[in-house]
């Protein structure tokens, strides 16, 4: 009796699931989802070639230093790097003295209690400090950025699909709304205070174009600072902030592959040696 009841209950659930599936399918056929501007005009990131790409990828310190310069002079006004310390810059070729100078001359100082009064104050940054946030809190960030909180960039290239290419495409992708978009979706006009960018998920973002013209940053190594070059360099720098041990990981991976290849040959040789006198 219990088995019969259990079977009937299971059958009832199966019938209900089947009915739900059929009704959903019929509804989708009869009333298909209306296309949206985001679905039709959103673009995936354009391909970006960096030295760090691929299994043999490595960092180009000269490019990383240029990217850091772009971050320092352009991006740091709004975006933080809360997971990166000043002393980490030694990994991309800066000397200890240069790191000390960069830290002490950084525009925003580190909050710290006054040793005499105990009240909160600020002090010059030390190499061991992490990059200070440009805003005291989210309220201040929203007030300065059209009610949007600029995201931290430490892990940005890991947080987005094809992150380096996404960063580059976003920085170079600002444009006027296409006439076709406004014709097909007249209600999708970019709101006042936002900026159209087809590489952003909903096509409109609060961040104004940060790289507006060639020569906005003056490189010290002679590289021509075009908008495309600056976007590429800062994307490379953010690739390093997100995965500073990339080169070590690649080296460890290839060492493991080499070990496994050698181990396979040694195993095969041992097998042939042990069983060479055995008749099959």
């Amino acid at each position: 009796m219990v088995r019969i009841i259990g079977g009937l209950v299971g059958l009832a659930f199966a019938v209900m699931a089947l009915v739900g599936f059929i009704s959903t399918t019929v509804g989708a056929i009869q009333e298909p989802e209306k296309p949206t501007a985001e679905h039709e005009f959103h673009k995936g990131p354009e391909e970006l070639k960096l030295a760090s790409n691929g299994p043999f990828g490595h960092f180009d310190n000269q490019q990383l230093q240029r990217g850091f310069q772009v971050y320092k002079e352009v991006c740091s006004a709004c975006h933080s790097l809360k997971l990166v310390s000043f002393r980490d810059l030694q990994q991309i070729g800066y000397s200890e003295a240069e790191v000390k100078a960069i830290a002490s001359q950084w525009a925003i100082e580190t909050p710290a209690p006054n040793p005499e009064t105990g009240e909160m104050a600020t002090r010059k940054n030390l190499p061991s400090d992490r990059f200070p946030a440009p805003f005291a809190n989210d309220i201040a960030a929203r007030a300065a950025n059209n009610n949007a909180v600029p995201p931290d960039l430490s892990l940005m290239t890991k947080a987005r699909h094809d992150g380096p290419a996404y960063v580059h495409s976003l920085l170079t992708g600002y444009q006027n709304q296409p006439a076709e978009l406004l014709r097909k979706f007249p209600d999708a006009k970019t709101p006042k205070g936002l900026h159209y960018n087809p590489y952003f998920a909903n096509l409109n973002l609060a961040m104004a174009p940060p790289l507006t013209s060639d020569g906005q940053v003056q490189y010290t190594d002679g590289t021509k600072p075009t908008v495309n070059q600056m976007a590429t360099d800062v994307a490379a720098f953010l690739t390093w902030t997100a995965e500073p041990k990339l080169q070590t990981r690649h080296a460890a991976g290839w060492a493991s592959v080499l070990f496994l290849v050698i181990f396979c040959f040694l195993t095969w040789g041992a097998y042939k040696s042990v069983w060479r006198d055995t008749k099959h």
Side-chain angles (χ1 to χ4, degrees):
M1 188 64 179
V2 174
R3 292 184 179 180
I4 294 175
I5 295 175
L8 291 175
V9 171
L11 180 62
F13 275 111
V15 170
M16 292 174 61
L18 181 62
V19 171
F21 172 76
I22 293 175
S23 62
T24 301
T25 304
V26 171
I29 294 174
Q30 293 179 344
E31 297 181 11
E33 184 178 355
K34 295 181 180 180
T36 63
E38 290 85 352
H39 288 152
E40 290 201 22
F41 290 89
H42 174 61
K43 297 180 179 179
E46 304 290 338
E47 181 182 3
L48 179 65
K49 295 182 179 179
L50 295 176
S52 56
N53 290 352
F56 296 98
H58 63 281
F59 289 124
D60 178 350
N61 282 353
Q62 192 170 28
Q63 182 176 51
L64 298 186
Q65 291 184 16
R66 294 197 303 267
F68 169 67
Q69 188 177 350
V70 175
Y71 169 76
K72 176 184 177 182
E73 298 184 20
V74 179
C75 309
S76 64
C78 298
H79 294 278
S80 58
L81 275 182
K82 63 183 181 181
L83 299 182
V84 184
S85 300
F86 286 101
R87 62 186 174 191
D88 293 334
L89 296 176
Q90 289 183 258
Q91 298 177 25
I92 63 173
Y94 286 102
S95 67
E96 185 177 350
E98 288 174 325
V99 169
K100 287 182 179 179
I102 291 171
S104 64
Q105 295 169 11
W106 199 256
I108 301 172
E109 296 185 341
T110 295
N114 186 315
E116 297 180 359
T117 65
E119 297 181 354
M120 286 303 297
T122 60
R123 59 165 173 76
K124 289 189 177 295
N125 300 295
L126 301 173
S128 57
D129 292 326
R130 293 186 176 181
F131 284 86
F135 302 104
N137 50 52
D138 286 354
I139 297 175
R142 290 183 186 278
N145 292 279
N146 197 25
N147 203 36
V149 178
D152 180 79
L153 298 182
S154 304
L155 302 176
M156 182 56 64
T157 58
K158 299 289 284 185
R160 298 291 185 271
H161 172 68
D162 202 0
Y166 168 80
V167 170
H168 177 269
S169 295
L170 190 74
L171 292 176
T172 59
Y174 288 88
Q175 56 189 263
N176 295 324
Q177 282 188 296
E180 183 183 1
L181 184 152
L182 296 176
R183 179 179 59 81
K184 298 180 67 173
F185 304 97
D187 295 334
K189 183 176 176 61
T190 298
K192 185 178 180 180
L194 301 184
H195 307 272
Y196 178 77
N197 192 316
Y199 298 100
F200 193 64
N202 65 3
L203 306 181
N204 303 299
L205 70 164
M207 181 176 71
L211 300 176
T212 56
S213 62
D214 295 346
Q216 188 173 342
V217 173
Q218 295 299 317
Y219 287 145
T220 57
D221 64 357
T223 301
K224 188 175 180 180
T226 63
V227 169
N228 181 69
Q229 183 66 55
M230 290 185 289
T232 301
D233 292 340
V234 77
F237 173 70
L238 294 179
T239 301
W240 170 76
T241 64
E243 195 171 6
K245 301 298 183 182
L246 178 141
Q247 294 181 147
T248 302
R249 179 170 61 81
H250 284 178
W254 284 113
S256 298
V257 170
L258 179 61
F259 168 79
L260 290 174
V261 171
I262 295 174
F263 180 77
C264 286
F265 277 106
L266 291 176
T267 303
W268 179 79
Y271 167 79
K272 298 294 289 184
S273 176
V274 170
W275 296 96
R276 64 177 182 274
D277 296 327
T278 303
K279 295 183 178 180
H280 296 284

